[in-house]
Amino acid sequence: QVIKCKAAVMWEANKPFSIEEVEVAPPKAHEVRIKIMATGICRSDDHVITGGLVMPFPIILGHEAAGVVESVGQGVTSIKPGDKVIPLFVPQCGECNSCLSTKGNLCNKNDVGSGTGFMPDGTTRFTCKGKAIHHFIGTSTFTEYTVVHESAVAKIDSAAPLEKVCLIGCGFSTGYGAAVQTAKVEPGSTCAIFGLGGVGLSVVMGCKAAGASRIIAVDINSDKFAKAKELGATDCVNPKDFKKPIHEVLIEMTGCGVDYSFEVIGRTETMAAALACCQYNYGVSVIVGVPPAAQKITFDPMLLFTGRTWKGSVFGGWKSKDSVPRLVSDYMKKKFVLDPLITHTLPFTKINEGFDLLRTGK
């Protein structure tokens, strides 16, 4: 059956969300229809609105969520109606070269790089006012019901609180994994984190869990520092307090630069600064923030020639279908906290207010 429900539709760039009644088609073979119970707001959703991440309009955004399976398509065996699940914006097909490699996690079936706005079969499951509405990176969670491919959903512990573990669908896993999985931060090391939103704070938690001895949090909004310290930051630095470039400040603070740096904003200037502030020979810098479309980065190749490593991390390097249920179990065992990452809880119809809070750094 087609389900009629509420969704936040983005008809065009730089406009507010419009709460509309949409029709959600039943799942086709190897697809799952989910009732979304909670969804987080992530800066990547906002990047689509502002054009920093190019996607087709009209579109239903949202990619960090948790819900309950409503129905499944033909051939779906791993998941049944009533199961608690988290949709995965990085799928895990289990068959492509990235899925088969122990080194990779960005499944070839992902829609992050290509941005087609369709299901894997090239069609959409959403209609509004007679128009087809695009999907967002295979998830689209700003709707009461969504349809995802079987490779893009993880069944989780039935006792998990969905309004908290939805963050494991993106923000928490992305930041925490960048530290423990991509960078593989070692005990006693020094780290710098540029950007203290939900993902940046999760990097702080990951560095602390990995045993880093010094965790330097960098942000131009000093209001973020108290929470960063609560989660493990040892130093907080506001670039606006200095006349000199921030990478020079960090090198002075540490004597030789940090062992690991993380850019969790999505700005080319901070990516370059994060690279420059890590130790010249064995420092590792990880790009976690979504890079802005059509911007290029210029840097002195000597920065890399001396031995530094510059790498990217999507979804914290986790193989999604395997790792998300484990991360939820770890949360249930109190191995990490999620509450400090949740600043506000709003009803779905106030989604525009939620984005205003995001944009003002609140």
Side-chain angles (χ1 to χ4, degrees), residues 173-308:
S173 306
T174 295
Y176 190 78
V180 303
Q181 188 74 10
T182 306
K184 298 190 165 49
V185 171
E186 297 117 344
S189 54
T190 56
C191 302
I193 295 105
F194 289 71
L196 300 173
V199 185
L201 292 171
S202 301
V203 177
V204 170
M205 286 196 252
C207 292
K208 186 181 181 189
S213 61
R214 199 163 180 201
I215 300 169
I216 306 168
V218 183
D219 202 299
I220 54 172
N221 179 355
S222 298
D223 295 345
K224 306 266 190 185
F225 293 167
K227 193 162 273 187
K229 287 205 156 145
E230 177 196 329
L231 293 172
T234 55
D235 307 73
C236 293
V237 180
N238 188 330
K240 288 180 166 172
D241 296 342
F242 299 90
K243 293 266 192 292
K244 61 176 78 156
I246 188 64
H247 73 272
E248 291 179 17
V249 174
L250 293 166
I251 289 169
E252 272 176 29
M253 283 174 71
T254 53
C256 58
V258 297
D259 298 313
Y260 299 98
S261 65
F262 301 86
E263 199 280 352
V264 206
I265 304 163
R267 289 174 56 105
T268 52
E269 303 83 21
T270 34
M271 289 172 188
L275 178 68
C277 82
C278 71
Q279 204 274 354
Y280 79 103
N281 176 216
Y282 54 77
V284 175
S285 187
V286 183
I287 293 176
V288 188
V290 176
Q295 281 195 26
K296 299 287 179 270
I297 207 161
T298 309
F299 67 100
D300 177 356
M302 185 57 86
L303 284 169
L304 292 180
F305 173 75
T306 56
R308 284 182 183 86

Side-chain angles (χ1 to χ4, degrees), residues 320-349:
S320 58
K321 225 169 154 70
D322 293 344
S323 305
V324 163
R326 283 204 301 268
L327 286 164
V328 171
S329 299
D330 285 351
Y331 170 73
M332 300 299 280
K333 291 175 191 149
K334 301 194 167 35
K335 288 192 182 171
F336 55 81
V337 292
L338 291 172
D339 280 22
L341 301 177
I342 302 169
T343 56
H344 299 74
T345 303
L346 299 168
F348 177 48
T349 48

Side-chain angles (χ1 to χ4, degrees), residues 9-158:
V9 177
M10 182 58 54
W11 291 103
E12 52 184 311
N14 296 304
K15 289 273 178 9
F17 288 91
S18 179
I19 303 288
E20 307 276 6
E21 182 181 81
V22 298
E23 283 113 53
V24 184
K28 294 188 183 178
H30 298 290
E31 293 177 357
V32 178
R33 189 160 59 180
I34 304 166
K35 180 175 190 181
I36 299 289
M37 308 303 284
T39 184
I41 289 179
C42 176
R43 181 67 76 174
S44 306
D45 301 306
D46 194 44
H47 285 330
V48 179
I49 300 167
T50 59
L53 182 57
V54 179
M55 294 284 163
F57 293 94
I59 191 168
I60 293 174
L61 295 172
H63 63 284
E64 177 181 278
V68 176
V69 174
E70 176 272 333
S71 59
V72 299
Q74 212 179 337
V76 175
T77 52
S78 57
I79 286 167
K80 62 186 188 305
D83 284 348
K84 281 192 180 179
V85 292
I86 287 179
L88 308 169
F89 72 90
V90 171
Q92 187 182 346
C93 72
E95 293 160 5
C96 69
N97 50 4
S98 290
C99 283
L100 292 172
S101 164
T102 55
K103 300 174 190 168
N105 76 315
L106 188 55
C107 174
N108 294 0
K109 299 260 188 335
N110 82 79
D111 196 34
V112 179
S114 48
T116 63
F118 294 115
M119 293 292 285
D121 71 352
T123 63
T124 160
R125 303 290 166 272
F126 299 118
T127 317
C128 181
K129 298 178 178 168
K131 279 192 179 151
I133 308 292
H134 293 91
H135 292 249
F136 178 50
I137 51 180
T139 47
S140 289
T141 63
F142 293 165
T143 168
E144 292 175 318
Y145 287 88
T146 192
V147 177
V148 303
H149 192 267
E150 186 181 16
S151 64
V153 61
K155 179 182 171 179
I156 59 165
D157 184 337
S158 61

